[in-house]
Amino acid sequence: MSDGTTARRHGTYGDGVANFLSRWQFRIEWGQCDPAGIVFNSRFFEFFDWGTWTLFARALGVKPADFAAAFGIAGIPVVDASAQFLAPARFGDVVELTSQIIEFRPASFEVEHRLIVHDALAVEGRETRIWAARDIADPPQITAEPVPEAVIACLRTQ
Amino acid sequence: MSDGTTARRHGTYGDGVANFLSRWQFRIEWGQCDPAGIVFNSRFFEFFDWGTWTLFARALGVKPADFAAAFGIAGIPVVDASAQFLAPARFGDVVELTSQIIEFRPASFEVEHRLIVHDALAVEGRETRIWAARDIADPPQITAEPVPEAVIACLRTQ
Amino acid sequence: MSDGTTARRHGTYGDGVANFLSRWQFRIEWGQCDPAGIVFNSRFFEFFDWGTWTLFARALGVKPADFAAAFGIAGIPVVDASAQFLAPARFGDVVELTSQIIEFRPASFEVEHRLIVHDALAVEGRETRIWAARDIADPPQITAEPVPEAVIACLRTQ
Amino acid sequence: MSDGTTARRHGTYGDGVANFLSRWQFRIEWGQCDPAGIVFNSRFFEFFDWGTWTLFARALGVKPADFAAAFGIAGIPVVDASAQFLAPARFGDVVELTSQIIEFRPASFEVEHRLIVHDALAVEGRETRIWAARDIADPPQITAEPVPEAVIACLRTQ
């Protein structure tokens, strides 16, 4: 959602391989907050989605809108999402979201999102997504395929 | 958005013809309200959209999801929208939205929405929509066509 | 969000005690769906919030807007939320959401939400919420307290 | 919503006085688009709200969250909003929103928003807002006051 963001390669996970980390700063808006004056929980899942698209766009150099066509897939739908809300984010807060793929599995991959507010971790989230190919035998249907090696390579840090 | 709504035929406009009036009651939710404790203005435009689809579904007996296919059109996109906010709606308020087409024009039609909160008019809105046919010479493009007479007849009160 | 909903007492959990089950039907709206034509994942967390407020309103007979004042608390904020997306919900689908508290813990409680689309379970969600009292020593802060026994009693099925 | 935005002073209106113009670039996100693949109309009103807060923050040097307290008011609520949708904005489009106050009236002020997509005007919007003081005789109520001269001065271009 921003032009003025930065990204850097960072992070080490279980397999000892560091994956690309996308970092994105933005301001919390009035309409994203509820009567308690804090961001309504569903909005964080919007932020996570933005974070994932930003991550792929940067790592692969493919625009979000061209992504499905570029890889011949139906998309990368979320099949599981979760978040822990540790501290609130308020109207006007400038926050930082970091997004990183933390695991590639045979039929899904896991994206971790961390939202930093005033230098402290405020929300920690996970999305499980699938690399959704169209089912050739039944086109409207989709099937989960492994993320291609070439895509994984772009998401790895050398 | 509700099963428990009622509709009745009502309303007389400039041309002396009464159009179908759709009436729909719902409750204002926490996530629709902002830090001032009132519904954030953009949400009313969501309500208007819901109101228009409900109006067409009831008057024509066609499900919203089947609408475009049933009439061979691309859709009924909004080209102009406006609202006056006269009084706030708050979390938990049970409100009533009435929606009615108030004018059919050669290349558009006008839907009026009125939101009643605690027996008083709280928001008055308008959507200008087009009956959007696909442009045969250039398929991704759309062209505004008159609303078919058979559709208008269903929206009129005898 | 609806007047025309029904509720019934149902469900048995680990402790052998059945809790109140709130059942709520509504229609999926155009603005809740994404370019894939299905409900965008963050919207389901809005539905869960609606489901929890509806559950409390019905079980306790207290309006959502009066809830915090009636029990002298700051609110019932979500500290953890998750969902599994098993099947899509599409524009115009009439869906049913069931919401039920499945566990009362010393410092939190767990609400389970199940969204049924075309007679099949489409989304399964969880919210961990706290019964948030204002911290007397530091008023803007909140502390998690046990849900009062009188409240639990209303949420139990006799 | 972005750090990487720029602002410049620009624009001349009826009274021959140019007002501060705030310019803000951002990317259209998946969850902001509907099944037609374009931004759902209510989302533009969120963008307008963001534009107005950005405009005030830049012109006055006051953070959005401190705004009401800094000026001793209840807020700057929208009493009227409208938009014309001339061309669609799609997922991944990098768009530019310009926001500018175009009229100060005794009991309200008018903000104009213009959204540029692919170098063409796609949406033109207006918000009528009030400078809302708390009614001293009846505190929960608000009254519309003129925007203070010192504030107007900051919004003018020398």
Side-chain angles (χ1 to χ4, degrees):
Chain A
M1 192 135 210
S2 160
D3 278 334
T5 51
T6 60
R8 59 166 196 173
R9 294 177 179 270
H10 171 97
T12 306
Y13 285 88
D15 57 358
V17 181
N19 284 331
F20 185 81
L21 179 85
S22 172
R23 199 175 279 277
W24 168 50
Q25 290 192 337
F26 57 97
R27 196 182 74 195
I28 299 300
E29 301 296 340
W30 178 261
Q32 293 165 340
C33 297
D34 66 19
I38 63 178
V39 173
F40 181 62
N41 81 73
S42 78
R43 291 285 186 164
F44 293 108
F45 295 93
E46 287 192 39
F47 300 163
F48 298 163
D49 190 76
W50 303 353
T52 296
W53 283 111
T54 301
L55 166 64
F56 274 101
R58 288 174 180 169
L60 300 173
V62 176
K63 289 186 184 175
D66 300 334
F67 190 84
F71 295 100
I73 55 175
I76 48 169
V78 176
V79 294
D80 201 306
S82 65
Q84 283 181 277
F85 308 104
L86 310 170
R90 296 175 197 282
F91 173 45
D93 284 342
V94 174
V95 303
E96 183 176 85
L97 182 72
T98 60
S99 303
Q100 188 173 38
I101 297 179
I102 57 167
E103 196 181 354
F104 292 102
R105 289 184 294 252
S108 67
F109 59 97
E110 195 84 6
V111 192
E112 185 188 70
H113 302 279
R114 295 162 62 89
L115 189 81
I116 308 296
V117 180
H118 301 309
D119 298 321
L121 180 62
V123 181
E124 195 158 28
R126 292 280 183 95
E127 291 175 319
T128 306
R129 289 179 179 254
I130 61 170
W131 190 265
R134 297 194 185 285
D135 189 326
I136 295 168
D138 184 8
Q141 294 303 111
I142 55 174
T143 54
E145 293 198 346
V147 177
E149 283 302 324
V151 171
I152 293 177
C154 290
L155 290 157
R156 294 288 194 198
T157 304
Q158 288 73 28
Chain B
M1 191 137 212
S2 161
D3 279 335
T5 50
T6 59
R8 59 168 197 171
R9 295 180 178 270
H10 171 96
T12 307
Y13 285 88
D15 59 357
V17 181
N19 284 332
F20 185 83
L21 180 86
S22 173
R23 199 175 281 274
W24 169 50
Q25 289 192 338
F26 57 98
R27 195 182 73 195
I28 298 299
E29 301 295 341
W30 178 260
Q32 293 165 340
C33 297
D34 66 20
I38 62 179
V39 174
F40 181 61
N41 80 75
S42 77
R43 291 284 187 165
F44 293 108
F45 294 93
E46 286 192 39
F47 300 163
F48 298 163
D49 190 76
W50 303 352
T52 296
W53 284 111
T54 302
L55 165 64
F56 274 101
R58 289 172 179 168
L60 301 173
V62 176
K63 289 185 183 174
D66 300 334
F67 191 83
F71 295 101
I73 56 174
I76 49 169
V78 175
V79 294
D80 201 307
S82 64
Q84 284 181 276
F85 308 104
L86 310 169
R90 296 176 197 283
F91 173 45
D93 283 343
V94 174
V95 303
E96 182 176 87
L97 182 72
T98 59
S99 303
Q100 188 174 39
I101 297 179
I102 57 168
E103 196 179 355
F104 292 102
R105 289 185 293 252
S108 68
F109 60 96
E110 195 85 6
V111 191
E112 186 188 71
H113 304 279
R114 294 162 63 90
L115 188 82
I116 309 296
V117 181
H118 301 309
D119 299 321
L121 180 63
V123 181
E124 194 159 30
R126 292 278 183 94
E127 291 175 319
T128 306
R129 289 179 179 254
I130 61 170
W131 190 265
R134 297 194 184 284
D135 188 326
I136 296 168
D138 183 9
Q141 295 302 113
I142 56 174
T143 53
E145 293 198 346
V147 178
E149 282 303 322
V151 171
I152 293 177
C154 290
L155 290 157
R156 295 290 194 197
T157 305
Q158 286 73 29
Chain C
M1 192 135 212
S2 161
D3 278 334
T5 51
T6 60
R8 59 169 196 172
R9 295 178 180 271
H10 173 95
T12 307
Y13 286 89
D15 60 356
V17 180
N19 284 331
F20 185 83
L21 180 86
S22 174
R23 201 175 279 275
W24 168 51
Q25 289 191 337
F26 58 97
R27 195 182 74 195
I28 299 299
E29 300 295 341
W30 177 260
Q32 292 165 340
C33 297
D34 66 20
I38 62 178
V39 173
F40 181 61
N41 80 75
S42 77
R43 292 284 185 163
F44 292 108
F45 295 92
E46 288 193 40
F47 300 163
F48 298 164
D49 190 77
W50 303 353
T52 296
W53 284 110
T54 302
L55 165 65
F56 274 100
R58 288 174 179 166
L60 301 172
V62 176
K63 288 184 185 175
D66 300 334
F67 190 84
F71 295 100
I73 56 174
I76 48 170
V78 175
V79 294
D80 201 307
S82 65
Q84 284 182 275
F85 307 104
L86 310 170
R90 298 175 195 282
F91 173 46
D93 284 342
V94 174
V95 303
E96 182 177 84
L97 182 72
T98 61
S99 302
Q100 187 174 38
I101 297 179
I102 56 166
E103 196 179 356
F104 292 102
R105 290 184 292 252
S108 68
F109 60 97
E110 195 85 7
V111 192
E112 185 188 71
H113 303 280
R114 295 163 61 89
L115 189 82
I116 308 296
V117 180
H118 300 309
D119 298 320
L121 180 63
V123 182
E124 194 158 28
R126 292 280 183 93
E127 292 175 318
T128 307
R129 290 178 178 256
I130 61 171
W131 190 264
R134 296 193 185 285
D135 188 326
I136 295 168
D138 183 9
Q141 295 301 113
I142 57 174
T143 53
E145 292 197 346
V147 177
E149 282 302 324
V151 171
I152 292 177
C154 289
L155 290 157
R156 295 288 193 198
T157 306
Q158 287 74 27
Chain D
M1 189 135 215
S2 163
D3 279 335
T5 49
T6 59
R8 59 169 197 172
R9 295 177 180 272
H10 171 97
T12 307
Y13 285 90
D15 59 357
V17 180
N19 284 330
F20 184 83
L21 179 86
S22 173
R23 200 175 279 276
W24 168 50
Q25 289 191 337
F26 57 98
R27 195 183 73 196
I28 298 301
E29 300 295 342
W30 178 260
Q32 293 165 340
C33 297
D34 66 19
I38 62 177
V39 174
F40 182 60
N41 81 75
S42 77
R43 292 283 186 163
F44 293 108
F45 295 94
E46 287 193 40
F47 300 164
F48 298 163
D49 190 76
W50 302 354
T52 296
W53 283 110
T54 301
L55 165 65
F56 274 101
R58 289 174 179 169
L60 300 172
V62 176
K63 287 184 184 175
D66 300 333
F67 191 84
F71 295 100
I73 56 175
I76 48 170
V78 175
V79 294
D80 201 307
S82 65
Q84 284 181 276
F85 308 104
L86 310 170
R90 297 175 195 283
F91 173 45
D93 283 343
V94 174
V95 304
E96 182 177 84
L97 182 72
T98 60
S99 302
Q100 187 174 38
I101 298 180
I102 55 167
E103 196 179 356
F104 293 103
R105 290 183 293 252
S108 68
F109 60 96
E110 195 85 6
V111 191
E112 185 189 72
H113 303 279
R114 294 162 63 89
L115 189 82
I116 308 296
V117 180
H118 300 311
D119 298 321
L121 181 63
V123 182
E124 194 157 29
R126 293 280 183 95
E127 293 175 318
T128 306
R129 289 178 178 255
I130 61 170
W131 190 264
R134 297 194 184 285
D135 188 326
I136 295 168
D138 183 8
Q141 294 302 112
I142 56 174
T143 54
E145 292 198 346
V147 177
E149 282 302 324
V151 171
I152 293 177
C154 290
L155 290 157
R156 294 291 193 196
T157 304
Q158 288 73 28

